[in-house]
Amino acid sequence: MKKIIFFLLLLSNQIYSQELYKEKYRPQFHFSPAKNWMNDPNGLVYFNGEYHLFYQSNPFGNQWGHMSWSHSISKDLLHWQQLPVALKEENGIMMFSGSAVMDEKNTSGFGKNAMVAIYTGHTDTLQTQNIAYSNDAGRTFTKFNNNPVLNLRQKDFRDPNVFWYEKNNDWIMCVSHPNEHQIEFYQSKELKDWKSLSVFGPVGDTSGVWECPDLMQVSIEGTKEKKWVLFTSQNSTMQYFVGEFDGTRFINENPTNKIFKQDYGTDYYAAVAYHNTPYKNPISIGWLNNWNYANDIPTTPWKSVMSLPRELSLKKINGEWILIQTVLQNIKTLRSSAKSFSNKIVSKQSPVNFKGNVFEAEILFQPSAKGESGIKLAVGNNHYLKISYDALNQRMIVDRSQTNSSFNKTFASINKAISKIQLPDGKLKWHIYFDKSIVEIFVNDGEAVFTTQVFAEENENSVQLFSTKGKSKFEYVNIWNIKSIW
Ligand code: FRU
């Protein structure tokens, strides 16, 4: 009897897990929670071969609320295992965004190799910075009994991001004053007592409240040198500043009359990075949604997806520091069957002999100088997502106005992402990751990225090349089906 019950349990478990991650719109190679609401990535930290991904979640439903830190781990940043909720809302105090560090030197006295989470405690009238520690590699946490560790008695003061500053042997926290468009830097020897160092901003994009700062060292391609990069999130997009951090203040070296965006798409926000991994550079993960409609996207029983992890580096282009983002190479292990062709001249429309909504595509082409050219994905039922180069205006456009947007008016109105892109040698390279309801497009080896959500029916899965005026030459098009990680 026991055996039969065990077998039935196993079977029902399997059926359950088979249904999960097979739902309509469910990405197959991006992280999304099995169920319930998710927003910002929190506490990205690497320890003992495990990448920890904590994230803002509502353990009780599929809408924002009861903010807690849920927890997943990965050994390769590709396959994820979900663990129980790590830090819960308690006594009416929500767990807002923050970071986590490994306290290798036991500066805090919480124990050698304690994992310390630094988060914002949120109520309707007050936001403070708090800490919690784990002595079992993030499986269980204890909230510090002398919380908060930083309290300015302000309603908006949030998203602490902490790292170890080797030169001065101390911890640095960057934390946001959202309404002032400022990031304040603090210093501590033991993660408990924090002293203000300096304030950065307002500068750059101040069109929305500043949230989720992250400061890190990033290497300059082709050299042994590094620069400091400061990220902020505002108005449903992200910006970065590049310069120096001297232990006290951050000095921006990029022009201040220009906004440098980490992603030009409609759905990329609150990204933070792993600072201490075996990789040479920080690895960044962003939340692929947009506060203007995040609660209304038509997915169930979960909401929101994380970006593919992106390795960051820097390049100087025309006197400006440009962030380069590349997807980790191990994603190639998920490639299955391929479709390739080369040197194809396209005028008007040209169907591609491939159907799918979970794939990776690499394209190098010479856009016609006379009009708009590119690729349409998720084609069917008079719907499509259009990725194009508008040569007359030297800009790239990701246009989802012809996709299903019936579920939300704001989603329908925020339907294009546009950015200037120069083509030094007349060619454009796209690396496209299409994953059911997520499209990430890396331009010219990661010099720009566009990320967008799209909610297409299963049979809207054709692909077309096009060139509205004149001929465009597609030097190569390589498409791979991608295996599911679930
Ligand atoms: C950013 C944000 C953070 C805040 C969290 C709350 O998306 O608004 O500033 O800590 O989400 O869930």
Side-chain angles (χ1 to χ4, degrees), residues 39-40 56 64 67 96-97 158-159 211-212 269-270 291:
N39 57 291
D40 315 353
Q56 290 283 282
W64 188 89
M67 297 325 289
F96 267 25
S97 284
R158 60 178 174 273
D159 306 338
E211 301 181 310
C212 303
Y269 200 69
W291 280 119

Side-chain angles (χ1 to χ4, degrees), residues 120-139:
T120 297
H122 166 92
T123 68
D124 286 348
T125 51
L126 181 66
Q127 292 186 338
T128 60
Q129 314 325 322
N130 300 264
I131 57 178
Y133 60 94
S134 165
N135 300 114
D136 56 1
R139 272 41 177 198

Side-chain angles (χ1 to χ4, degrees), residues 167-198:
K167 253 193 207 159
N168 291 356
N169 257 302
D170 59 13
W171 299 100
I172 302 290
M173 177 197 292
C174 9
V175 56
S176 178
H177 293 283
N179 302 311
E180 290 76 19
H181 316 290
Q182 287 180 324
I183 304 303
E184 186 160 1
F185 300 101
Y186 286 85
Q187 175 261 10
S188 173
K189 288 286 176 200
E190 27 42 13
L191 295 165
K192 295 170 184 165
D193 185 25
W194 293 93
K195 287 186 195 63
S196 175
L197 294 172
S198 66

